[in-house]
Amino acid sequence: MSPAHSLPRGVKEHSVFRSIFAAYPDSLLIADQAGTIVLANPSAAALLGYTMEDLVGLNIDALVPDSIRPCHASYRAAYAQAPHPRPMGTEMDLVARRKDGSEVMVEIALSPLQDQGLPLVVAAIRGVEAYPRVQQALQRARYSEHLAQFGRLAVDARDPQALLDDAPLIAAEALRVQTAMVVLLESDQQAFRVVSGVGLVPGEEVGARISAAPDTSPGFLLTQERPVVVPDYRTEQRFSVPPSYLVAGLVSSLSVPLFDRGRVIGTLAVRSREPKRFGDEELRFLGSLSSLLSTSLQRAQTEETLQHAQRLETVGQLTGGIAHDFNNLLTIIQGNLQVLEELPGIRRNGHAGQLVSAAMRAGHRAAELTGKLLAFSRRQVLQPSAVDMGAMLLSLVDMLRRTLDQHIRIEVEVAPGCPPVLADPGQLESALLNIAVNARDAMPEGGTLRFSAQPCNGLAPRVRRELDYPGSANERFVEIRIADTGIGMPDAVKERAVEPFFTTKEAGRGTGLGLSTVYGFARQSRGALTIDSAPGAGTTVALYIPQPLAAAEAGPQDAPASDAVPPGLQVLLVEDDAEVRKVVQAFLAALGCRIATAANAEQALAALGGGQPFDLLLTDIALGPGMRGTALAAEARARLPRLSVLLMSGFSSELLDADRDAPADWDLLRKPFTRQELAQAIVRVLK
Ligand code: ADP
Ligand code: MG
């Protein structure tokens, strides 16, 4: 049967085929062996963005993306060598290039064709972007591309604000939504603050506060601690929807939490004008974006804390070094003044005596100043003992009540049965006093100053990070809080408050050495210091001081009964600085001691081995190159077990170890010292 028989009368076969070609829903292109298009249907023109006339005569290579074009001619040549039908669906990810340069995902079928002896190829092309599976693949690709983009930013960015600004931009772009925003919880936990966003509605602009109550959208998330999807605001029951959302036409939303070490610190939220806009894919995307953001914020914060600590450490080393040199000089100056004071010629001359005392007073003040610098650099000589906080706070408060302005109310609360702390009592008291004086300065119009102390088993992570050593979890502390209702500090001041010489007070009123010494003292005492403050909201300084480890350390140390050095005491004095040695020698002589001197450990050991009996080894810790004073003392004691040991130091980081490891009957004498202090220390160590 000839095909013509099945066609209606008068209809020509070739015209039917022409109509099919024109009406066919797939794009059809017929190309010759050189790749030139000889025929195209309207569907092809529509898909590829050309007119039909444009397509005819165009080389098929123009329809492939730039990246493939260089190899396309050789593909075509290979196909022409062995033409065969290739159906659709065999290759997934083909892409065609439109006239305007944009790309469209397609499937292509090829069939060889002979027409009047000429080899031709028919390409049937189908745009597949509307297929759900393709849509989903495209969307996934878009999401992961945006995530990767944010990941790169996060790796490079040094400024957390830049990340906060970028996250909503990327979320809005990837999800193609109208609104995206980041809110962070304020430190009082009562509200969120909008920190960045796009398409924000009135009332939620950057900087706005949103209550964290559970009936607000971010407040509700805070109670859930997991993502919240709102399919349609118009039917939302769990929290109240701000009318501005509906006014802006926003009807659905997705919010995910931002975490810091397991705690919700904010949310990343997107809103759309389409109802039920957010499904699992969107949730996964926004969840990944928020964990990237959370981690980056955490990292930025850790780096900032580290940098702050490093800066303080550097300043500490500098000031510590200066103070050390000063202390040696002061030992010489004060020692010589004391010797001078007692010379008969000076004693008889009243005026000269006054001059010498004035110089001594100045020397004393200078020693106090270097003491503060050493305190900050954690290199002061501390003599910790168990201190009862109740007793200390009561006596301090009693003194403050008498000296502070009447407009300042003072309150004390010590938890019943509060354990003692292990700290140098004198330094602890001066730390509390420093903090109280700052509080007074912050309350010119009066207010309340409140001291409290309570045991604290286990430190919050932010406090633990402040420790000077990797604190062990089972260590116990006492938390001493000093709260005022004063002017408070903006962040910029709070961050620098413990730097030495940082002050906001007028010249003559502030030295900037108050909190820095308290900070150094707290850390050297194996404790920590934190400051909570906001402008207008007052300030709370908290000191965390360890409790004594064992009952043995409890109980105040015995005060020396007298400072009478037994006459004729045989002392070996070891000091590398000749001038200091001379001064100490003069002190010892005045105390009636018999003295041998050595400039280093080698000489000292030689003297000890020389057969002369010694009662006391008085040695500096830093002895220049060679054996240090602590090692010398250990060696000497091994040889002469009955020898008493007194160490001297301006500072030494090893002093701290000596503090902990040295036998209990060794003692440390802080430089500079007076003759009386030397005498008292000698009496303490003699047995
Ligand atoms: P100084 O008191 O000599 O200024 P500090 O080291 O004691 O030095 O304090 C540093 C700065 O910290 C002060 O100048 C002040 O700006 C701020 N500061 C300290 N304590 C408080 C407080 N209780 N209230 C407000 N600001 C304070
Ligand atoms: Mg101060």
Side-chain angles (χ1 to χ4, degrees), residues 560 562-567 569-573 584 587-589 591-593 595 615-618 644-648 665 667-669 673-687:
S562 87
D563 57 1
V565 175
L569 190 76
Q570 303 259 11
V571 181
L572 176 57
L573 166 64
V584 181
F587 282 176
L588 289 170
L591 293 172
C593 300
I595 311 138
D615 303 307
L616 172 70
L617 172 66
L618 173 58
S644 297
V645 171
L646 179 58
L647 300 168
M648 301 178 280
D665 62 339
D667 214 326
L668 298 156
L669 187 57
F673 46 81
T674 63
R675 198 174 56 207
Q676 288 72 27
E677 284 162 348
L678 174 62
Q680 283 164 5
I682 291 178
V683 172
R684 275 205 302 273
V685 298
L686 287 184
K687 27 185 174 179

Side-chain angles (χ1 to χ4, degrees), residues 136-155 162-163 165-177 180 198 268 270 277 281-282 284-293 296:
Q136 199 184 33
L138 281 177
Q139 195 184 43
R140 279 202 190 134
R142 194 170 70 232
Y143 291 170
S144 31
E145 195 181 308
H146 281 88
L147 275 179
Q149 187 191 347
F150 188 71
R152 280 193 299 276
L153 284 173
V155 169
L163 292 177
D165 288 341
D166 283 332
L169 285 178
I170 286 180
E173 200 178 290
L175 295 169
R176 299 189 169 145
V177 293
V198 286
L268 169 60
V270 289
R277 173 68 178 70
E281 293 284 339
E282 287 71 26
R284 260 198 295 279
F285 165 74
L286 208 62
S288 310
L289 190 63
S290 87
S291 46
L292 264 176
L293 179 61
S296 318

